[in-house]
Short mmCIF file of all heavy atoms in Angstrom, two decimals:
data_model
loop_
_atom_site.label_atom_id
_atom_site.label_comp_id
_atom_site.label_asym_id
_atom_site.label_seq_id
_atom_site.Cartn_x
_atom_site.Cartn_y
_atom_site.Cartn_z
N TYR A 1309 -0.47 22.21 -0.50
CA TYR A 1309 -0.55 22.77 0.85
C TYR A 1309 0.60 22.31 1.74
O TYR A 1309 0.42 22.15 2.94
CB TYR A 1309 -1.91 22.41 1.47
CG TYR A 1309 -3.07 22.95 0.67
CD1 TYR A 1309 -3.87 22.11 -0.11
CD2 TYR A 1309 -3.35 24.32 0.65
CE1 TYR A 1309 -4.92 22.61 -0.86
CE2 TYR A 1309 -4.40 24.83 -0.10
CZ TYR A 1309 -5.18 23.97 -0.85
OH TYR A 1309 -6.22 24.49 -1.60
N ASP A 1310 1.76 22.03 1.15
CA ASP A 1310 2.82 21.48 2.01
C ASP A 1310 3.41 22.50 2.97
O ASP A 1310 4.14 22.13 3.88
CB ASP A 1310 3.89 20.69 1.23
CG ASP A 1310 4.28 21.34 -0.07
OD1 ASP A 1310 3.90 22.51 -0.27
OD2 ASP A 1310 4.94 20.68 -0.88
N SER A 1311 3.09 23.78 2.78
CA SER A 1311 3.54 24.77 3.76
C SER A 1311 2.37 25.28 4.58
O SER A 1311 2.47 26.30 5.26
CB SER A 1311 4.21 25.94 3.06
OG SER A 1311 5.36 25.51 2.39
N LYS A 1312 1.22 24.63 4.49
CA LYS A 1312 0.01 25.19 5.10
C LYS A 1312 -0.71 24.13 5.94
O LYS A 1312 -1.71 23.57 5.54
CB LYS A 1312 -0.90 25.70 3.96
CG LYS A 1312 -1.74 26.88 4.35
CD LYS A 1312 -2.41 27.51 3.15
CE LYS A 1312 -3.69 28.21 3.58
NZ LYS A 1312 -4.89 27.62 3.06
N TRP A 1313 -0.14 23.83 7.11
CA TRP A 1313 -0.75 22.89 8.05
C TRP A 1313 -2.11 23.44 8.49
O TRP A 1313 -2.21 24.65 8.62
CB TRP A 1313 0.19 22.71 9.24
CG TRP A 1313 -0.20 21.64 10.19
CD1 TRP A 1313 -0.80 21.82 11.41
CD2 TRP A 1313 -0.05 20.23 10.01
NE1 TRP A 1313 -1.02 20.60 12.00
CE2 TRP A 1313 -0.57 19.62 11.16
CE3 TRP A 1313 0.47 19.43 8.99
CZ2 TRP A 1313 -0.59 18.24 11.33
CZ3 TRP A 1313 0.46 18.07 9.15
CH2 TRP A 1313 -0.07 17.49 10.31
N PRO A 1314 -3.14 22.63 8.73
CA PRO A 1314 -3.10 21.18 8.70
C PRO A 1314 -3.43 20.60 7.33
O PRO A 1314 -4.43 20.94 6.71
CB PRO A 1314 -4.19 20.77 9.68
CG PRO A 1314 -5.20 21.88 9.60
CD PRO A 1314 -4.43 23.13 9.24
N SER A 1315 -2.55 19.73 6.90
CA SER A 1315 -2.80 18.90 5.73
C SER A 1315 -1.76 17.80 5.77
O SER A 1315 -0.57 18.09 5.76
CB SER A 1315 -2.67 19.72 4.45
OG SER A 1315 -2.97 18.87 3.38
N HIS A 1316 -2.21 16.56 5.88
CA HIS A 1316 -1.26 15.48 6.14
C HIS A 1316 -1.12 14.49 5.01
O HIS A 1316 -0.36 13.53 5.10
CB HIS A 1316 -1.62 14.72 7.42
CG HIS A 1316 -3.01 14.16 7.42
ND1 HIS A 1316 -3.52 13.38 6.41
CD2 HIS A 1316 -4.00 14.26 8.33
CE1 HIS A 1316 -4.75 13.03 6.72
NE2 HIS A 1316 -5.08 13.56 7.85
N SER A 1317 -1.90 14.69 3.93
CA SER A 1317 -1.84 13.65 2.89
C SER A 1317 -2.06 14.27 1.52
O SER A 1317 -2.49 15.42 1.38
CB SER A 1317 -2.86 12.56 3.17
OG SER A 1317 -4.12 13.12 3.43
N SER A 1318 -1.78 13.48 0.52
CA SER A 1318 -1.71 14.00 -0.85
C SER A 1318 -3.10 14.27 -1.41
O SER A 1318 -4.11 13.78 -0.89
CB SER A 1318 -1.00 12.99 -1.74
OG SER A 1318 -1.88 11.92 -2.03
N TYR A 1319 -3.13 15.04 -2.49
CA TYR A 1319 -4.36 15.33 -3.24
C TYR A 1319 -4.28 14.72 -4.63
O TYR A 1319 -5.15 14.92 -5.46
CB TYR A 1319 -4.56 16.85 -3.38
CG TYR A 1319 -4.69 17.56 -2.05
CD1 TYR A 1319 -3.57 17.81 -1.25
CD2 TYR A 1319 -5.94 17.95 -1.57
CE1 TYR A 1319 -3.68 18.44 -0.02
CE2 TYR A 1319 -6.07 18.59 -0.33
CZ TYR A 1319 -4.93 18.83 0.43
OH TYR A 1319 -5.05 19.45 1.65
N PHE A 1320 -3.20 13.96 -4.89
CA PHE A 1320 -2.93 13.46 -6.24
C PHE A 1320 -3.75 12.22 -6.60
O PHE A 1320 -3.87 11.88 -7.77
CB PHE A 1320 -1.45 13.08 -6.37
CG PHE A 1320 -0.49 14.23 -6.21
CD1 PHE A 1320 0.44 14.25 -5.18
CD2 PHE A 1320 -0.51 15.28 -7.12
CE1 PHE A 1320 1.34 15.30 -5.05
CE2 PHE A 1320 0.39 16.33 -7.00
CZ PHE A 1320 1.32 16.34 -5.96
N GLY A 1321 -4.25 11.52 -5.60
CA GLY A 1321 -4.84 10.21 -5.84
C GLY A 1321 -6.06 10.25 -6.75
O GLY A 1321 -6.86 11.19 -6.72
N ILE A 1322 -6.20 9.17 -7.53
CA ILE A 1322 -7.44 8.94 -8.27
C ILE A 1322 -8.49 8.47 -7.25
O ILE A 1322 -9.67 8.77 -7.36
CB ILE A 1322 -7.20 7.87 -9.36
CG1 ILE A 1322 -6.22 8.41 -10.42
CG2 ILE A 1322 -8.51 7.43 -9.99
CD1 ILE A 1322 -5.75 7.37 -11.43
N PHE A 1323 -8.00 7.74 -6.22
CA PHE A 1323 -8.81 7.38 -5.06
C PHE A 1323 -8.30 8.20 -3.89
O PHE A 1323 -7.11 8.48 -3.79
CB PHE A 1323 -8.64 5.89 -4.71
CG PHE A 1323 -9.15 4.95 -5.76
CD1 PHE A 1323 -8.32 4.53 -6.80
CD2 PHE A 1323 -10.45 4.49 -5.73
CE1 PHE A 1323 -8.78 3.65 -7.77
CE2 PHE A 1323 -10.92 3.61 -6.70
CZ PHE A 1323 -10.09 3.19 -7.72
N ASP A 1324 -9.20 8.54 -2.97
CA ASP A 1324 -8.74 9.30 -1.80
C ASP A 1324 -8.07 8.36 -0.79
O ASP A 1324 -7.92 7.15 -1.05
CB ASP A 1324 -9.89 10.12 -1.20
CG ASP A 1324 -10.94 9.28 -0.49
OD1 ASP A 1324 -10.70 8.08 -0.23
OD2 ASP A 1324 -12.02 9.83 -0.19
N LEU A 1325 -7.69 8.90 0.35
CA LEU A 1325 -6.94 8.11 1.33
C LEU A 1325 -7.77 6.96 1.90
O LEU A 1325 -7.22 5.98 2.39
CB LEU A 1325 -6.46 9.03 2.47
CG LEU A 1325 -5.30 8.52 3.31
CD1 LEU A 1325 -4.00 8.50 2.51
CD2 LEU A 1325 -5.11 9.39 4.56
N ALA A 1326 -9.09 7.08 1.81
CA ALA A 1326 -9.97 6.01 2.27
C ALA A 1326 -10.21 4.98 1.16
O ALA A 1326 -10.86 3.97 1.39
CB ALA A 1326 -11.30 6.60 2.74
N GLY A 1327 -9.70 5.28 -0.03
CA GLY A 1327 -9.93 4.37 -1.16
C GLY A 1327 -11.27 4.62 -1.86
O GLY A 1327 -11.73 3.80 -2.64
N ILE A 1328 -11.89 5.77 -1.57
CA ILE A 1328 -13.14 6.12 -2.27
C ILE A 1328 -12.75 6.80 -3.58
O ILE A 1328 -11.88 7.68 -3.59
CB ILE A 1328 -14.01 7.08 -1.42
CG1 ILE A 1328 -14.25 6.48 -0.02
CG2 ILE A 1328 -15.35 7.35 -2.13
CD1 ILE A 1328 -15.05 7.40 0.90
N PRO A 1329 -13.39 6.40 -4.70
CA PRO A 1329 -13.02 7.04 -5.96
C PRO A 1329 -13.38 8.52 -5.98
O PRO A 1329 -14.45 8.90 -5.54
CB PRO A 1329 -13.84 6.27 -7.01
CG PRO A 1329 -14.86 5.50 -6.26
CD PRO A 1329 -14.38 5.34 -4.85
N LYS A 1330 -12.46 9.33 -6.48
CA LYS A 1330 -12.80 10.72 -6.79
C LYS A 1330 -13.41 10.73 -8.19
O LYS A 1330 -13.39 9.72 -8.90
CB LYS A 1330 -11.53 11.59 -6.76
CG LYS A 1330 -10.79 11.57 -5.42
CD LYS A 1330 -9.54 12.45 -5.49
CE LYS A 1330 -8.69 12.33 -4.26
NZ LYS A 1330 -7.40 13.04 -4.40
#
Side-chain angles (χ1 to χ4, degrees):
Y1309 300 107
D1310 40 13
S1311 297
K1312 211 169 153 246
W1313 189 257
S1315 182
H1316 57 52
S1317 50
S1318 76
Y1319 299 77
F1320 296 118
I1322 294 171
F1323 295 89
D1324 72 13
L1325 200 69
I1328 307 177
K1330 302 180 187 172

